[in-house]
Amino acid sequence: MSPTNFEAQATTADLLLARRDDDATALLFEDRTWSWREYVAECAVRAQALTALRHRDASETPWHVGVLMENSPEYLFLIGGAALAGATIVGINPTRRGAELRSDIARTDTRVVLVDDTHVALTADFADDLPVVGVTSSDYRALLESAADASADDWDRRLDNHLLLLLFTSGSTGAPKAVKCSSARLATLGARNLHAMTSDDVVYNAMPLFHGNALMSAWAPIASVGGAFALRNKFSASGFLPDIQKFHATFFNYVGRSLAYILAQPEQPAEADNNLRLAWGTEASVRDREEFTRRFGTPVIESYGSSEGVCVIVCRPNTPRGALGKPDPRFDMIIVDPQGREVPTAQIGDDGSLRNGAEAIGEIIARGGAARFEGYYNNPEADADKIRN
């Protein structure tokens, strides 16, 4: 089936509402399946529950809801509910602790934190500062029960674009910053459909939903075409092959050393018995990409990007071995020296070596990137440092 063009759906809410009567599979988790009709209905219930929680808060601050959870259908229902209700989901990184965790929550103006049973212990670091609601608690169940009659039709209006997500950067170049992602931006990322997905695709995602890779590279594109999203609670190298076979996955996304961990599992003939057509991710070595393709028979497309959405570099099959790739031309990216002057194009020898490194190396700049960058939340200093000239 050919991809559906969702450029006309201006926000994530528009995208979801367009799927409200779609009986195709939307979500797979463990042994459960939800159609798009059922998924959107669950999102409508969460929209009503988030609105009820909002009414408990007497402050006039924006409605920012922290989510401290493993990957789960509930996490995705909440993101969809926030898209409908105009709330903001703050994806809290559970690897943070103590003062760092309290700082993440405080500087994002988080008003309430929803937590699963796995992460309850972490809430001791901030439970004195704001309400914490367990998603298996009687309080939360009562909220959902009171909203059980909510319908997508209740939210059938063109919502103004709003701040849908706050996603923290990895912190590789300093303290993690909360990147803004509006409802429109997430929908646009899906409509761009870099992976040429169709409604027949099944995306397998085991990367954390609090990170941009899972939502921007996997969920948004598959939602834009009405395909299926197969979700695992957390990454498992030994669980990878059984999962992609069980879900008949056609695509998966990865970050960091995920491929290396999968390849560390004993090789078995069954690896070639899969429906994968593409793997997409970042930070895998050349050797691991080539070895994965040999063992699983699947092309691996390595990419380099940013949660800020101003940089996309893709390593295609004709890219010199070991090179990062070529920039997406739509981002107008160049390399500049310390004085801001564009440097010469890199010259790659037949042996793959860089011949003019002394003059071709510099800083990656996206001209016009400021127009796409929605900013860091409550961090004007970081905004100013990101945007120059």
Side-chain angles (χ1 to χ4, degrees):
M1 298 177 66
S2 61
T4 302
N5 185 351
F6 270 88
E7 292 287 359
Q9 273 65 47
T11 68
T12 303
D14 293 322
L15 188 154
L16 292 174
L17 291 172
R19 297 280 175 213
R20 79 182 88 180
D21 298 320
D22 188 346
D23 289 318
T25 299
L27 178 61
L28 300 151
F29 181 77
E30 297 178 349
D31 295 322
R32 294 284 311 276
T33 301
W34 290 261
S35 68
W36 279 103
R37 183 194 298 271
E38 292 168 332
Y39 174 72
V40 175
E42 294 285 2
C43 293
V45 170
R46 272 59 181 190
Q48 188 62 44
L50 289 171
T51 301
L53 274 175
R54 178 72 175 100
H55 292 157
R56 296 181 183 180
D57 191 314
S59 72
E60 297 298 325
T61 58
W63 186 226
H64 292 184
V65 179
V67 176
L68 180 56
M69 296 166 55
E70 287 187 338
N71 288 356
S72 68
E74 188 63 33
Y75 206 135
L76 288 173
F77 296 156
L78 286 165
I79 291 173
L84 295 175
T88 300
I89 296 296
V90 181
I92 299 174
N93 186 339
T95 66
R96 305 273 280 173
R97 297 289 188 277
E100 291 181 342
L101 181 58
R102 287 195 298 274
S103 174
D104 290 348
I105 291 170
R107 59 198 170 98
T108 51
D109 290 329
T110 299
R111 303 305 306 164
V112 62
V113 172
L114 301 180
V115 62
D116 62 13
D117 293 343
T118 304
H119 296 103
V120 167
L122 292 181
T123 64
D125 286 331
F126 56 81
D128 292 338
D129 301 325
L130 77 171
V132 174
V133 178
V135 294
T136 61
S137 68
S138 57
D139 184 15
Y140 191 69
R141 287 197 300 271
L143 280 171
L144 296 185
E145 288 170 4
S146 66
D149 293 334
S151 164
D153 294 336
D154 301 332
W155 308 96
D156 190 6
R157 61 188 187 280
R158 193 172 186 83
L159 290 171
D160 290 336
N161 184 31
H162 75 283
L163 179 59
L164 176 58
L165 301 169
L166 286 176
L167 302 171
F168 285 96
T169 60
S170 61
S172 56
T173 58
K177 299 177 284 292
V179 178
K180 297 177 184 178
C181 181
S182 68
S183 184
R185 180 183 164 208
L186 188 63
T188 298
L189 287 169
R192 191 172 291 152
N193 200 4
L194 290 175
H195 319 308
M197 288 184 184
T198 75
S199 56
D200 293 326
D201 275 307
V202 178
V203 165
Y204 173 69
N205 174 72
M207 300 297 103
L209 290 173
F210 64 78
H211 189 263
N213 172 272
L215 295 174
M216 297 174 179
S217 297
W219 184 81
I222 201 65
S224 73
V225 296
F229 192 73
L231 184 67
R232 187 181 177 92
N233 64 333
K234 58 183 176 181
F235 173 76
S236 167
S238 62
F240 175 78
L241 179 60
D243 276 355
I244 63 170
Q245 292 176 331
K246 171 184 176 180
F247 296 124
H248 304 288
T250 61
F251 172 97
F252 79 94
N253 52 300
Y254 66 88
V255 174
R257 293 184 54 79
S258 303
L259 294 191
Y261 296 139
I262 293 169
L263 294 170
Q265 298 295 304
E267 185 172 355
Q268 46 186 307
E271 290 170 349
D273 182 17
N274 68 73
N275 292 344
L276 290 175
R277 66 172 182 84
L278 183 64
W280 172 279
T282 183
E283 299 180 58
S285 69
V286 173
R287 178 197 171 279
D288 287 345
R289 300 198 305 267
E290 294 174 345
E291 183 67 0
F292 187 91
T293 297
R294 181 189 72 80
R295 284 174 55 169
F296 289 83
T298 305
V300 178
I301 303 297
E302 178 78 1
S303 65
Y304 175 86
S306 66
S307 300
E308 294 87 345
V310 298
C311 170
V312 175
I313 300 174
V314 180
C315 184
R316 300 293 183 185
N318 61 350
T319 299
R321 194 175 190 274
L324 193 60
K326 288 189 175 182
D328 185 319
R330 290 173 294 185
F331 289 80
D332 194 14
M333 295 166 58
I334 59 172
I335 309 297
V336 300
D337 64 19
Q339 287 72 46
R341 297 171 301 206
E342 185 173 358
V343 304
T345 301
Q347 298 175 7
I348 308 296
D350 293 338
D351 60 354
S353 63
L354 176 61
R355 296 293 177 83
N356 61 336
E359 61 179 359
I361 291 174
E363 183 180 13
I364 300 172
I365 297 294
R367 291 181 291 199
R372 292 185 295 272
F373 178 46
E374 294 185 317
Y376 300 114
Y377 185 77
N378 200 22
N379 197 338
E381 295 83 5
D383 284 349
D385 185 60
K386 192 74 172 180
I387 300 171
R388 298 194 299 274
N389 302 325

